[in-house]
Amino acid sequence: MTDISQILLLSLWIAAWSTLFVVIVGVALAYLFVFGNPRRWLWLDTLVAVPLVLPPTVVGFLLIYVLGRTGPLGGLLDHWLGIRLLFTWQAAVLAAWVVSLPLMIRVTRSGFLAVDLELILASQSLGKSSWVTFRRIIMPLSRNSIVAGAVLSFTRALGEFGATLMVAGNIPGKTATLSLSIYTAFEAGDTQSAWWMALLLTLIAVMAMVTTYFLTRSRW
Amino acid sequence: MSLMLACHKQLSDFTLSVKLQLPSQLTVILGPSGAGKSVLLKILAGWLKPDKGELYFNDTAWFDSALDLHLAVRQRQVGFVFQHDALFPHMSAMENIVYGHQQPTSAQAIERALGFAQRYQLTEVLSLLPKQLSGGQRQRVALARSLMSTPQLLLLDEPFSALDFMTRRHMRHELINLQRQLDLPMVFVTHDIHEAFFIADYLVLMNQGQVVQAGVKEEVLASPSNDWVKQWVEEVR
């Protein structure tokens, strides 16, 4: 039977790193789209939202083009830093990040929009900078949305298949995540392993939703 | 204090066009709903930028379309008390008050906040969240918070409209005492004629974005400029 514990650890590792970058970039972009000039950033808003509606294999295909040795980013990384991202766990992180980011932005944006504008104006009238207003007023009041977005992104990253398969491959011990391994086990006729991994993923997803419920209960 | 405003702002329903020179006392802007009172207050605060004109406070330009100048809210040192208090729901009463200070965690801020808390009978409720406070307590916290930043001008947008009659009456007296004690210029917006005439030193009557009459309260009472003003004045005679 497949070594599920190793696959689980790898999947959690990739999902955790992806979620970390998703939260940092997602919160920053959501702030920009809500409080910045919407017209100026419409192009960026559209660009980051596209992976939400694209088939994951198309996302993977485009990432291969960008990250490949002759690609615009991959070429630079290879030439200047000797880094080759394709078929590494880092590529899996990147694939998960690309598909999860639009989710994080959407949920966080809703949280920011729900903050009463008068509270933001009140903070400004008290002489507070945009950064202080963001840190002390907007972030705490949209905490629930940020947490929910992070959990959704984590579970999305954990379940990522198509884009991950294309840019990171399905290399045992290196890039073979739980989702990919379920497919591999099923193809190989190892239904017992496939069942265990599917149950595991389901259990993690349920725990994530329950955790979200308890973390996002309003105190005020 | 001198506050000179001459501005023009196109809004969806009407055009706001005012020319005012306000004294350093308690000015009340009175008018029906939709007259442009809150818009004017937001222009004074810096949240709304007029289309053209100028706004000078003590010879400092806050807005001047000829100079393409519009001073940000943060730089005007203006206190603002909202109609619905705008207390931060995740902060206690004490945290809300000290937030108004430049250095909220400093000993000076805490001492000042405790002073306000004592003056406004808030000492017992400092640890409570806004949702646990009464309407009157909330507005007193909001007032204390706005004073923490030592504003040079205090703007109040119908701050007592959501309060019950007795609390409102008490808060009006408090506001007058505060103004006299601190000699802090205030601009107070209301649609309540009785409230306006009770607290105002200087009265500005507005309708559909225009100043209909402005002057010392007693002068407006004695000599209403037209029938519309007369209608308002007769309510308090």
Side-chain angles (χ1 to χ4, degrees), chain A residues 169-205:
Chain A
N170 189 11
I171 307 165
K174 204 174 166 195
T175 62
T177 59
L178 267 172
S179 294
L180 297 174
S181 299
I182 290 171
Y183 177 73
T184 308
F186 179 73
E187 282 276 284
D190 183 4
T191 38
Q192 192 180 17
S193 296
W195 262 114
W196 277 114
M197 287 187 283
L199 277 170
L200 200 51
L201 263 180
T202 307
L203 184 65
I204 293 171

Side-chain angles (χ1 to χ4, degrees), chain A residues 116-130 132-141 218-220, chain B residues 47 73-74 78-80 82-84 86-91 95 98-104 129 131 145-146 149:
Chain A
D116 189 347
L117 181 62
E118 271 193 2
L119 300 182
I120 297 170
L121 296 179
S123 183
Q124 290 175 351
S125 75
L126 295 166
K128 306 302 176 184
S129 65
S130 299
V132 171
T133 301
F134 175 70
R135 189 170 54 85
R136 301 270 336 257
I137 308 301
I138 297 172
M139 278 279 278
L141 291 177
S218 184
R219 291 168 294 151
W220 54 77
Chain B
W47 290 318
V73 178
R74 290 179 50 220
V78 169
F80 202 104
F82 295 80
Q83 187 175 8
H84 299 292
L87 294 183
F88 307 125
H90 59 299
M91 293 183 185
E95 286 167 338
V98 294
Y99 186 83
H101 196 271
Q102 268 183 342
Q103 292 169 308
L129 292 174
K131 71 174 182 182
R145 184 180 70 181
S146 69
S149 57

Side-chain angles (χ1 to χ4, degrees), chain B residues 138-154:
Chain B
R138 291 169 67 108
Q139 277 298 12
R140 276 179 273 149
V141 171
L143 190 59
R145 184 180 70 181
S146 69
L147 295 171
M148 283 290 284
S149 57
T150 324
Q152 47 187 357
L153 173 68
L154 187 63

Side-chain angles (χ1 to χ4, degrees), chain A residues 52-141:
Chain A
L52 204 55
V53 294
L54 273 183
T57 44
V58 174
V59 174
F61 177 74
L62 293 171
L63 279 174
I64 286 175
Y65 167 73
V66 170
L67 298 176
R69 273 197 284 161
T70 55
L73 183 59
L76 282 172
L77 287 171
D78 187 23
H79 179 75
W80 294 105
L81 300 168
I83 293 173
R84 289 177 191 174
L85 276 179
L86 289 183
F87 306 112
T88 62
W89 68 265
Q90 290 92 336
V93 169
L94 193 59
W97 179 81
V98 168
V99 300
S100 305
L101 186 62
L103 273 173
M104 182 73 200
I105 291 173
R106 252 174 172 61
V107 177
T108 307
R109 192 206 297 251
S110 298
F112 286 169
L113 287 170
V115 175
D116 189 347
L117 181 62
E118 271 193 2
L119 300 182
I120 297 170
L121 296 179
S123 183
Q124 290 175 351
S125 75
L126 295 166
K128 306 302 176 184
S129 65
S130 299
W131 168 244
V132 171
T133 301
F134 175 70
R135 189 170 54 85
R136 301 270 336 257
I137 308 301
I138 297 172
M139 278 279 278
L141 291 177

Side-chain angles (χ1 to χ4, degrees), chain B residues 149-184:
Chain B
S149 57
T150 324
Q152 47 187 357
L153 173 68
L154 187 63
L155 307 175
L156 304 107
D157 190 1
E158 304 198 55
F160 308 146
S161 60
L163 305 178
D164 62 83
F165 168 72
M166 291 303 292
T167 310
R168 219 181 314 151
R169 204 167 76 157
H170 173 76
M171 290 300 294
R172 286 173 194 167
H173 283 285
E174 264 302 327
L175 193 70
I176 293 169
N177 292 338
L178 180 72
Q179 201 282 318
R180 303 286 181 258
Q181 192 182 47
L182 299 180
D183 195 25
L184 174 65

